[in-house]
Amino acid sequence: MSEGYRVEVDSVVLRSPERPMAVERIRLRDAGPGDVRVRVDATGVCHSDLSLARGVLAQPLPAVLGHEACGTVLETGPEVTGLSVGDRVILLWITPCRECVHCGRGEPHLCVNGSSRATEPYALDAHGDPVYPGLTVGSFAEQTVVPAAAAVKVPADISSSDAALLGCAVTTGVGAVTKTAAVTPGSSVLVIGLGGVGLAAIQGAKLAGARTIIAVDRNAEKASLATKLGADHFVPADDETKKAVRALTGKQGVDYVFDCAGSARTIRDAWGMTRRGGSACVVGIGGKDDKISFSALELFHFARTLVGCVAGSLDTEQDLPRYFEHVRTGRLDLAALVTGHGGLSDVENALREMAAGRGIRTLITPGETR
């Protein structure tokens, strides 16, 4: 066994976008002075994992994906303060340095150094070759090693499954509405794409006091859940979507539209369904070659705002306590987002289901380490 890589764990390794991922044994890098080693108790399968697995987003390979997770601290480096062995923690895929220009501006979600660990090996495979942590976390594994700054303590009354979803889907969807776009009470809101992020955005719109909430998805089976979580109307994603949305808004369009799919087509549709002077927010992550065009005249004439959203503009120090309280009071229903459970060997199937537009969130429980 190579020096400095002593802990062996099972993990799901991506070696090529052309091949399914498989469970492999890897050896984790020893926790550094400012690191923590964490047992992964629950981790959600996110659309960003699908984009990484299929090569839409770049990632050094081989890699262990998974970034939406809650776990238990097993080891702390000598310089770690504020965390102890046994603490349950949410793992962050953007680790703010609190020193760069964006952190200084109060934009830790845009931290210049926040994702640098994704390009640094954190484990070795059975052949002794380096393995990288997808989106810095690598939670499709029994354990992982992350900077202590990427681990936020979870209150005792918040379940590990709820805490895992707060690692990405919920904070992204709710934050897009309440922070990035800052939806005002009495507004109309439309959400495109009813995965975990989109359904969280619907709950965020309800929290923000939206007057009318419209949900759009290609899978009509998601209509009842969208309604349960706060949507007033469900509109199928098809050639008649724009017409139906116009009919629901007095032919004016919607005040705020949130595209949680992130393709060029859905972004253009989101723009077209936004009222004059309204705001379209791109929450989903698309590919770099997926191009969108706008005419100079329409940009002037419609006076709409088109804004991108990274991680729901999350500032963990300010925002997570508020999210915890929303969970406690029932204003956020996170259990409703989980439509499947499984172990490490079920990750690939969960990605296939997501690609087909079925289900919402599969929660993976890697199990105890050997």
Side-chain angles (χ1 to χ4, degrees):
M1 182 177 292
S2 299
E3 183 178 355
Y5 293 82
R6 294 177 294 176
V7 177
E8 291 191 9
V9 299
D10 282 342
S11 64
V12 181
V13 178
L14 171 68
R15 293 193 171 274
S16 168
E18 282 74 46
R19 312 207 300 263
M21 294 183 289
V23 177
E24 298 184 20
R25 201 77 171 152
I26 63 171
R27 291 170 286 175
L28 292 175
R29 178 178 54 76
D30 293 348
D35 294 336
V36 291
R37 181 164 57 86
V38 177
R39 182 186 70 224
V40 179
D41 298 327
T43 180
V45 180
C46 179
H47 199 278
S48 298
D49 297 313
L50 177 64
S51 296
L52 288 163
R54 302 301 184 253
V56 176
L57 298 178
Q59 168 67 48
L61 299 178
V64 175
L65 305 186
H67 61 280
E68 181 183 86
C70 175
T72 301
V73 176
L74 299 178
E75 178 186 1
T76 64
E79 296 178 5
V80 174
T81 59
L83 290 175
S84 302
V85 171
D87 286 343
R88 288 186 310 126
V89 291
I90 292 173
L91 302 182
L92 306 177
W93 61 277
I94 297 176
T95 310
C97 68
R98 305 290 177 183
E99 296 178 351
C100 72
V101 62
H102 286 292
C103 287
R105 290 173 177 154
E107 301 170 334
H109 59 290
L110 301 179
C111 177
V112 172
N113 306 303
S115 301
S116 60
R117 293 279 285 240
T119 60
E120 299 173 8
Y122 86 127
L124 300 177
D125 66 12
H127 306 289
D129 295 325
V131 178
Y132 299 85
L135 286 178
T136 77
V137 176
S139 60
F140 291 159
E142 293 175 311
Q143 298 181 27
T144 189
V145 175
V146 298
V152 178
K153 192 180 297 187
V154 178
D157 60 345
I158 303 297
S159 71
S160 294
S161 57
D162 282 351
L165 297 183
L166 288 169
C168 182
V170 175
T171 46
T172 297
V174 175
V177 175
T178 61
K179 292 198 67 181
T180 308
V183 166
T184 55
S187 301
S188 57
V189 168
L190 184 148
V191 177
I192 300 172
L194 302 182
V197 173
L199 289 169
I202 287 175
Q203 296 189 66
K206 187 176 179 181
L207 283 171
R211 180 187 74 255
T212 302
I213 303 173
I214 305 169
V216 173
D217 197 272
R218 56 180 170 158
N219 185 352
E221 294 180 359
K222 296 181 179 181
S224 59
L225 181 53
T227 301
K228 174 187 175 183
L229 295 177
D232 300 294
H233 307 280
F234 175 84
V235 176
D238 56 30
D239 293 340
E240 299 296 316
T241 302
K242 292 182 185 178
K243 183 178 179 180
V245 169
R246 290 280 173 180
L248 291 171
T249 58
K251 299 184 179 180
Q252 297 301 305
V254 184
D255 295 325
Y256 298 91
V257 180
F258 296 88
D259 172 28
C260 298
S263 70
R265 177 178 177 178
T266 56
I267 293 170
R268 202 63 175 77
D269 286 347
W271 173 264
M273 290 185 284
T274 304
R275 69 162 174 85
R276 195 177 186 192
S279 178
C281 181
V282 181
V283 188
I285 304 174
K288 65 179 181 178
D289 298 323
D290 202 9
K291 306 296 184 181
I292 311 163
S293 63
F294 302 89
S295 75
L297 179 59
E298 69 178 302
L299 291 173
F300 161 79
H301 174 75
F302 289 111
R304 296 165 176 151
T305 299
L306 182 65
V307 61
C309 171
V310 176
S313 303
L314 179 68
D315 185 332
T316 56
E317 295 178 352
Q318 296 180 14
D319 299 333
L320 280 180
R322 182 168 63 253
Y323 288 126
F324 292 145
E325 188 59 24
H326 288 329
V327 173
R328 290 188 187 101
T329 60
R331 290 191 295 267
L332 285 177
D333 183 354
L334 307 194
L337 304 181
V338 179
T339 54
H341 294 81
L344 292 178
S345 61
D346 298 304
V347 169
E348 187 66 41
N349 183 62
L351 292 176
R352 286 194 292 268
E353 289 291 294
M354 181 177 290
R358 294 188 291 267
I360 308 300
R361 256 313 183 268
T362 297
L363 203 62
I364 300 298
T365 305
E368 297 290 333
T369 55
R370 295 177 183 174

